[in-house]
Amino acid sequence: MKLWRSVVVICFLATACGGGDIPTPDPVVETPNYDACLPEVGESTLEVVTWNIENFPVHTNTAVAVKTIIEDTDVDVIALQEITSKSEFNALVDALDGWSGHVEDYAGSQWVGYMYKTSEVTVLTQPENLFPESSNDDYNFAFTSVRRPLYMKFQHINGLTVNIINVHMKCCNGSEDRRRSGAVLLKDYIDTNLPNENVILLGDFNDEIVDQADNVYQNFIDDNANYKFATMPIAQGPSSEWSYPSWPSQIDQILITNELFTKATETLVLKLDNCQTTFESQVSDHRPVMIRLNNN
């Protein structure tokens, strides 16, 4: 077990009203205890997380809270969506001992990026935008300009090598065709360029993967010999376990290729909001989703 550290979130002191004999209340102090909300991790397994971090930083306390969460979870690779301040992101990476990171350098906002623990993972392929902006009309239709799929290749100290593709698919009702087009492009890319490699496609898919008459990710589901949503059991389960509780829905997905079917041992949503009452207002409206892999 890793040692848990706590972050103290100090709220503003409320101004007392009325007569002078009414005492001024003490500041409200929250010291989250994450013991019940965090998984056990270790050096023998690779832990990969996807997390829509909601317009990071959404609050003045966000960066401090995220730093503590990353240190306490102690996973190996985090794929992030909705980074809106590159300077705040880079400052967070610099503040984390033993971590490195990358955010895409585009105009606009809501970038995707990676953070990774340098003591356990080695970067084999530098960040690559799979579908560059304006290079193809199909790419421009499927993906917004600042949210192109971001690819990196890592090797864990247990010897496992993984190709990770971080996505933030087009949101909202009315964009189903754009998400479907993106799914086709992504599957074609993996089938063509990474046909026999360990691949993790993860991120904010902005759509459900179960019980839909028109499932935009059906192409992956139909090819079940080669692809599997590791998050499918979560999506089929109770809403209390889902990654986007305010909707509620399970839209943050982790998809793996068949080379990893026997290596993926656990996939779970980290319900950090159960241990920190200010999580949704000060950190993110999405919960992180983690997959654990071994190299046996």
Side-chain angles (χ1 to χ4, degrees), residues 106 109-112 129 131-133 139-149 168-171 175 178:
Y106 282 115
S109 61
Q110 288 198 342
W111 305 284
V112 296
N129 187 330
F131 306 115
E133 185 179 1
Y139 301 164
N140 295 331
F141 176 73
F143 306 104
T144 67
S145 60
V146 298
R147 287 169 15 186
R148 300 302 172 104
H168 190 178
M169 307 298 281
K170 186 69 178 72
C171 81
S175 296
R178 296 184 68 175

Side-chain angles (χ1 to χ4, degrees), residues 219-255:
N219 61 328
F220 287 113
I221 295 170
D222 288 343
D223 190 3
N224 55 19
N226 294 298
Y227 294 91
K228 178 169 68 175
F229 277 103
T231 45
M232 184 64 79
I234 298 171
Q236 293 171 330
S239 61
S240 60
E241 304 301 306
W242 292 348
S243 63
Y244 192 43
S246 60
W247 189 253
S249 59
Q250 177 59 40
I251 58 176
D252 302 282
Q253 313 295 357
I254 299 178
L255 180 78

Side-chain angles (χ1 to χ4, degrees), residues 62-239:
T62 303
V64 172
V66 172
K67 178 177 182 290
T68 300
I69 289 167
I70 291 174
E71 290 172 337
D72 286 359
T73 54
D74 204 22
V75 297
D76 300 311
V77 179
I78 306 174
L80 296 162
Q81 304 89 42
E82 287 199 18
I83 300 165
T84 59
S85 172
K86 296 170 187 174
S87 61
E88 292 275 2
F89 174 83
N90 290 329
L92 173 62
V93 173
D94 290 342
L96 285 162
D97 186 32
W99 283 77
S100 188
H102 173 84
V103 59
E104 276 298 88
D105 189 16
Y106 282 115
S109 61
Q110 288 198 342
W111 305 284
V112 296
Y114 286 98
M115 298 181 71
Y116 46 93
K117 188 166 57 176
T118 55
S119 63
E120 289 195 30
V121 294
T122 301
V123 174
L124 299 181
T125 300
Q126 293 300 314
E128 178 185 353
N129 187 330
L130 296 187
F131 306 115
E133 185 179 1
S134 301
S135 63
N136 183 294
D137 288 340
D138 290 339
Y139 301 164
N140 295 331
F141 176 73
F143 306 104
T144 67
S145 60
V146 298
R147 287 169 15 186
R148 300 302 172 104
L150 186 61
Y151 165 76
M152 289 189 75
K153 187 173 185 177
F154 300 93
Q155 184 172 41
H156 188 253
I157 57 173
N158 69 6
L160 182 64
T161 297
V162 292
N163 301 268
I164 303 180
I165 302 173
N166 180 7
V167 300
H168 190 178
M169 307 298 281
K170 186 69 178 72
C171 81
C172 311
N173 292 333
S175 296
E176 289 81 4
D177 286 345
R178 296 184 68 175
R179 291 192 289 275
R180 183 180 295 104
S181 178
V184 170
L185 289 170
L186 286 162
K187 187 174 185 302
D188 286 348
Y189 180 89
I190 297 169
D191 289 345
T192 302
N193 297 282
L194 303 166
N196 300 306
E197 297 203 35
N198 302 323
V199 180
I200 303 174
L201 174 63
L202 81 181
D204 185 346
F205 280 51
N206 262 317
D207 218 323
E208 303 281 1
I209 55 174
V210 295
D211 298 331
Q212 293 188 93
D214 186 23
N215 193 324
V216 301
Y217 301 112
Q218 196 65 45
N219 61 328
F220 287 113
I221 295 170
D222 288 343
D223 190 3
N224 55 19
N226 294 298
Y227 294 91
K228 178 169 68 175
F229 277 103
T231 45
M232 184 64 79
I234 298 171
Q236 293 171 330
S239 61

Side-chain angles (χ1 to χ4, degrees), residues 7 30-38 270-279 287:
V7 60
E30 180 183 11
T31 306
N33 184 340
Y34 292 114
D35 286 354
C37 298
L38 297 179
L270 308 185
K271 297 184 289 184
L272 303 180
D273 52 314
N274 287 355
C275 292
Q276 182 180 354
T277 60
T278 57
F279 181 83
R287 297 161 165 169

